[in-house]
Amino acid sequence: MSPTRKTARRAGALYLLSAAAAGVPLLYVPSALIVSGNASATAHNILASEIVFRACMVSELTGAILFVFLVRTLYRLLNGVDTKYASLMVTLVLISVPITCLNVLNDVAALTLLHGATFLSAFDTAQRDSLAMLFLGLHGDGITIASIFNGLWLVPFGILVMRSGFLPRILGILLIADGCALVTVSFTALLLPGYLDVVNRVAIIPELGELWMMAWLLIKGVREQPLPVAAAVS
C-alpha cells in the first residue's frame, strides 16, 4: 500500500473516531437527559445518569482532540495540492477546537449547580436547577458558534479534494455544499431562529457531504497511481 493511501486511510479512521466521539453526546444529552422547559426534570435526569453525563463531556473533548490529529493528517495528504488552502483548512479547525473545549465548561457549570455546593447556598433548589438549564442552553449556543468554523473548514478542504487528482471531484463539491449548509444553519440559529426548522429541513441532505468523504477515505483511500501532485505529497 502506497504512503499516500495509508495516509488517506488513517485520515478516514480519525474522521470516524472524531465524529463518533463528538456526535454521540451531542445527540444523546439533548434527547435523553434534557427536558425542554422543565428544569426540575432535567436536573433529575442528569443526576440520575451523572456518570453518563460526565462520559459525554469527556467524549466531546476527545472528539475535539481527535479533530486536531485528523486535520494534521489531512494536511499531510493535501498540502502538496495547494499550501494556501491546506493552511487555511488547518487554521479554521484550530479556531473551532478551543471553542468546543471551552464550551464543555458550560456542562461543568451545570453539574456544579445541580450538586449545590456550599457557596451556592444562597440559591434554593429551583433556582439552581434553572441556572443549570441556562448553562445547558449556553452549551447548545456554543455548539452553534463552533459549527460556523466546522462548516468553513470544509470549503478549503473541498477545494483541495477537487484539485487533488487522486480523490473524486464530486466529493469536494459535496464537502463545499456541506460547509455552506452548516454555516447557513448556524447563522440562521443566531439571526432568525424562527426559520431554523425550515432551514434544517433543507440543509439535511447537503450536510451528509462529510459522511461520503469519510466513507471514501476508509474504504477506497486514494488511487494507487495518483497524479504527479499526489506523488509529491507522498
Side-chain angles (χ1 to χ4, degrees):
M1 184 182 293
S2 68
T4 304
R5 173 162 282 195
K6 287 181 180 179
T7 301
R9 290 283 176 80
R10 189 179 301 116
L14 286 169
Y15 219 144
L16 178 61
L17 291 172
S18 176
V24 169
L26 300 186
L27 292 173
Y28 177 78
V29 173
S31 62
L33 300 181
I34 297 177
V35 181
S36 181
N38 193 328
S40 178
T42 299
H44 176 269
N45 290 343
I46 290 175
L47 291 175
S49 305
E50 183 176 341
I51 187 63
V52 177
F53 186 76
R54 289 183 179 275
C56 285
M57 291 192 295
V58 172
S59 183
E60 192 172 347
L61 290 171
T62 301
I65 294 168
L66 289 171
F67 198 15
V68 174
F69 286 97
L70 165 62
V71 77
R72 179 178 179 273
T73 304
L74 289 173
Y75 182 84
R76 288 178 57 201
L77 180 67
L78 297 167
N79 181 46
V81 177
D82 190 309
T83 303
K84 179 181 66 176
Y85 283 112
S87 298
L88 178 60
M89 176 183 70
V90 172
T91 300
L92 291 169
V93 168
L94 294 182
I95 292 174
S96 75
V97 168
I99 296 173
T100 299
C101 292
L102 289 173
N103 193 36
V104 176
L105 283 174
N106 286 308
D107 283 346
V108 174
L111 202 55
T112 301
L113 284 162
L114 295 179
H115 275 294
T118 304
F119 64 86
L120 294 170
S121 58
F123 301 96
D124 59 34
T125 301
Q127 290 172 325
R128 291 198 303 271
D129 291 350
S130 296
L131 286 171
M133 198 73 165
L134 169 64
F135 280 103
L136 292 171
L138 289 174
H139 180 266
D141 293 335
I143 293 171
T144 298
I145 294 170
S147 292
I148 295 173
F149 296 96
N150 289 337
L152 288 174
W153 87 281
L154 294 176
V155 176
F157 183 19
I159 293 172
L160 289 167
V161 169
M162 290 174 64
R163 295 182 177 181
S164 67
F166 51 82
L167 289 165
R169 288 177 60 86
I170 185 62
L171 291 177
I173 295 171
L174 291 174
L175 285 171
I176 294 171
D178 190 345
C180 292
L182 284 171
V183 172
T184 300
V185 169
S186 298
F187 277 117
T188 300
L190 295 172
L191 293 172
L192 301 166
Y195 293 93
L196 184 58
D197 287 341
V198 175
V199 174
N200 269 327
R201 284 196 291 271
V202 174
I204 190 169
I205 299 300
E207 284 179 347
L208 297 176
E210 280 188 279
L211 292 179
W212 290 107
M213 186 71 231
M214 186 190 310
W216 185 274
L217 289 172
L218 278 170
I219 299 169
K220 288 286 192 177
V222 295
R223 293 184 181 130
E224 285 289 356
Q225 293 182 336
L227 295 181
V229 68
V233 179
S234 63

